[in-house]
Amino acid sequence: KEKHKILHRLLQNST
Amino acid sequence: SHLLVIEPEKIYAMPDPTMPDGYIKALTTLCDLADRELVVIIGWAKHIPGFSSLSLADQMSLLQSAWMEILVLNIVFRSLACEEELVYAEDYVVDEEHARLSGLLDLHVAILPLVRRYKKLSMEKEEFVTLKAIALSNSDSTHIENVEAVQRLQDSLHEALQDLEGAHNTEDPRRTGKLLMTLPLLRQTAAKAVQHFYSIKVQGKVPMHKLFLEMLEAKA
């Protein structure tokens, strides 16, 4: 999961 | 109608005017465009009814499997009004000659059969947005945690496509099937595109942004 941190962050953003 | 509302705004490639024309510039432009469009696609996916109720891990798995199919389907739909040209972005329309000169011929030749297929079907925007959401939900990722939840998402989108065809295309009862039968060619085309960009990544001559690299790595 650490390898895919940008995707993870973008999915967690509420917008 | 919800899928039509969440359809993203037009996207622009904005090639760097200070770079000399050629292979490196064309690919730098496309890789930058793909990176920005990926951000848009992730935002779009979150608005598909049911997608955000999946676990974060399953949302990631679907996007990691299907992102290139979605990018390709976007290019293909933008190109439906053109003759043998690919509309990578509103300001980046590539014909065969330009593709040859910029080292994009393999990609060009890979994507055109899909454009021809959807032209033959006269795919409408309503069908395109539904098929795109179906491609995401049907990405055959091997890492899905909650298979039933993903199946429910597939079922609701499949039902939306059937409802759409029931309402608009009573003259062809097989149209839903015909649209779904284009998905293998979409997957084949996306696989070729991934391979194309992966070999560019390995050559290391074209700068790639982090999200695009991350998504390419997920396909490796």
Side-chain angles (χ1 to χ4, degrees), chain B residues 3 9 74 77 89 91-92 109 123 125 131 137 151 153 160 173 178-179 200 216:
Chain B
L3 292 176
E9 297 289 311
N74 282 342
F77 186 71
D91 59 344
Y92 206 66
V109 168
M123 180 169 64
K125 187 166 187 183
L131 210 54
S137 71
Q151 182 65 57
L153 179 63
K178 283 178 181 167
L179 286 163
I200 290 159
L216 267 182

Side-chain angles (χ1 to χ4, degrees), chain B residues 16-149:
Chain B
D16 181 353
T18 64
M19 267 181 93
D21 284 338
Y23 173 79
I24 301 290
K25 179 175 182 171
L27 286 169
T28 303
T29 304
L30 277 194
C31 290
D32 171 69
L33 177 67
D35 188 77
R36 285 185 286 118
E37 198 165 354
L38 276 170
V39 176
V40 173
I41 286 170
I42 294 163
W44 160 81
K46 290 198 282 189
H47 290 102
I48 296 172
F51 183 82
S52 286
S53 332
L54 299 174
S55 70
L56 196 56
D58 284 349
Q59 293 178 37
M60 289 177 72
S61 297
L62 292 183
L63 279 163
Q64 283 168 343
S65 291
W67 63 275
M68 186 60 98
E69 290 183 41
I70 296 161
L71 276 178
V72 167
L73 203 48
N74 282 342
I75 296 163
V76 166
F77 186 71
R78 284 183 213 122
S79 309
L80 286 182
C82 298
E83 286 297 325
E84 307 286 301
E85 287 173 324
L86 291 181
V87 184
Y88 287 103
E90 296 306 313
D91 59 344
Y92 206 66
V93 182
V94 176
D95 61 15
E96 193 185 308
E97 181 66 8
H98 180 188
R100 192 188 316 277
L101 294 172
S102 350
L104 300 175
L105 195 58
D106 288 353
L107 198 60
H108 193 84
V109 168
I111 299 174
L112 272 183
L114 201 54
V115 177
R116 294 193 195 106
R117 182 89 179 258
Y118 287 120
K119 270 188 184 177
K120 211 171 142 193
L121 278 168
S122 304
M123 180 169 64
E124 309 262 348
K125 187 166 187 183
E126 291 83 351
E127 295 170 330
F128 157 67
V129 297
T130 314
L131 210 54
K132 194 161 64 153
I134 289 174
L136 176 64
S137 71
N138 187 48
S139 70
D140 290 302
S141 165
T142 48
H143 309 291
I144 298 298
E145 294 173 343
N146 190 339
V147 175
E148 291 78 14

Side-chain angles (χ1 to χ4, degrees), chain B residues 151-167:
Chain B
Q151 182 65 57
R152 279 196 295 275
L153 179 63
Q154 286 171 13
D155 288 347
S156 76
L157 293 165
H158 185 182
E159 194 181 347
L161 187 65
Q162 282 179 320
D163 286 353
L164 177 66
E165 299 311 339

